[in-house]
Amino acid sequence: MTGSDARSVSIIIPTYNERENIERVVDRCRAALEDYRFEIVVVDDDSPDKTWQLVADAYEGAETVRIVRRTEESGLATAVSRGFDEATAELCAVIDADLQHPPEKLPAFIEAFDTGADIVIGSRHVAGGGVENWSLLRRIVSRGAMAIAKLALPPTRGISDPMSGFFAIRREIIDGVALAPTGYKILLEVLMKCEYDRIAEVPYVFTERERGESKLTADEYLGFLTHIYDLRRNGYGGREQDIPVSVEGP
């Protein structure tokens, strides 16, 4: 059975002022998924640089690419949540528009579902994964945030990269789940609120963006802390036991 026969996947790409990158990430996703049934859903927060217009023009008539332009709401995590609502495929994968996440890893994500995974996480912290060109300060901040998440949210402790922004899920596990993410780490929201039986991690190397400006600001980090507090205060979604986690090949 070919990939196109076995699985369908919705690729969700949240964007804000990503005109310099969006065509490259969309085209690389399309190339990586040529053996699968897929759709690419770009969710744009009414970018001043008109990323939404570029996508609409560049992919006019393309059945596999569509644009959702949001004018009443903004924020990376809520954009991903909107993408989940718009998705029509069996699987949903989330990838950044800045090419810090390699689209060529998407087939490995999809294959991991064949081994029984409900959530597949792109991990920087397992063998074969890593981070390129980060400053010492950014490494310290990232590790500190990870430690805070694992300390406050025990169900994440068995996962090497619970704050990854590069992941995929079975769409059925989020159907009917009220996601209310604050900040930019929507995977934490999924891990805490959804019901699932198995997680797989796929190694990848996180690279710095080549074009455009980073969206991480002090407000985003404050939003992350608020999100952790809310998840802690509201409990762990009834989850009382560790979930099996496997590491897939490179």
Side-chain angles (χ1 to χ4, degrees):
M1 180 178 291
T2 65
S4 58
D5 293 330
R7 300 287 183 190
S8 63
V9 58
S10 297
I11 308 300
I12 298 163
I13 308 176
T15 59
Y16 183 76
N17 284 349
E18 292 290 357
R19 190 178 185 91
E20 294 180 83
N21 296 311
I22 189 60
E23 288 183 275
R24 293 193 301 154
V25 70
V26 168
D27 290 344
R28 282 175 59 180
C29 285
R30 295 172 85 186
L33 296 170
E34 61 181 358
D35 292 331
Y36 295 85
R37 288 179 290 127
F38 70 91
E39 64 174 354
I40 296 172
V41 183
V42 179
V43 183
D44 186 78
D45 284 351
D46 201 22
S47 296
D49 74 353
K50 295 190 176 180
T51 300
W52 51 271
Q53 186 68 64
L54 176 61
V55 174
D57 293 342
Y59 300 100
E60 183 178 6
E63 295 182 0
T64 57
V65 182
R66 55 194 173 96
I67 179 71
V68 176
R69 178 187 178 190
R70 301 198 308 166
T71 59
E72 303 296 328
E73 194 173 17
S74 64
L76 188 149
T78 58
V80 172
S81 184
R82 174 66 180 275
F84 290 154
D85 293 339
E86 296 282 343
T88 62
E90 171 193 4
L91 309 174
C92 294
V94 179
I95 186 169
D96 283 353
D98 52 20
L99 292 172
Q100 295 180 123
H101 302 149
E104 293 72 23
K105 282 288 184 179
L106 290 170
F109 279 27
I110 298 169
E111 290 169 8
F113 287 100
D114 291 334
T115 64
D118 297 305
I119 302 174
V120 179
I121 301 172
S123 177
R124 300 160 290 182
H125 305 305
V126 295
V131 174
E132 287 186 350
N133 302 322
W134 267 15
S135 67
L136 177 61
L137 176 61
R138 189 165 181 189
R139 290 176 186 272
I140 291 172
V141 169
S142 177
R143 288 292 185 176
M146 181 92 68
I148 290 170
K150 290 192 174 187
L151 179 64
L153 306 172
T156 68
R157 292 175 186 171
I159 302 167
S160 75
D161 203 351
M163 292 169 53
S164 177
F166 189 25
F167 65 94
I169 61 174
R170 296 184 189 274
R171 188 162 62 91
E172 63 186 23
I173 75 169
I174 57 171
D175 285 347
V177 176
L179 298 177
T182 302
Y184 62 102
K185 295 300 183 184
I186 192 170
L187 178 58
L188 290 175
E189 186 88 0
V190 170
L191 292 171
M192 293 301 102
K193 291 188 174 181
C194 294
E195 292 295 328
Y196 49 89
D197 296 318
R198 183 164 173 253
I199 294 171
E201 293 190 288
V202 173
Y204 84 99
V205 176
F206 183 98
T207 59
E208 283 287 8
R209 65 162 55 235
E210 295 178 7
R211 306 179 185 184
E213 297 181 356
S214 173
K215 307 301 189 297
L216 287 182
T217 64
D219 286 344
E220 292 289 353
Y221 286 117
L222 178 60
F224 160 72
L225 294 174
T226 301
H227 191 198
I228 292 289
Y229 173 77
D230 288 343
L231 289 171
R232 173 79 181 187
R233 180 187 60 186
N234 294 323
Y236 309 136
R239 191 166 303 289
E240 297 179 352
Q241 60 185 11
D242 292 338
I243 299 298
V245 179
S246 64
V247 178
E248 304 298 314

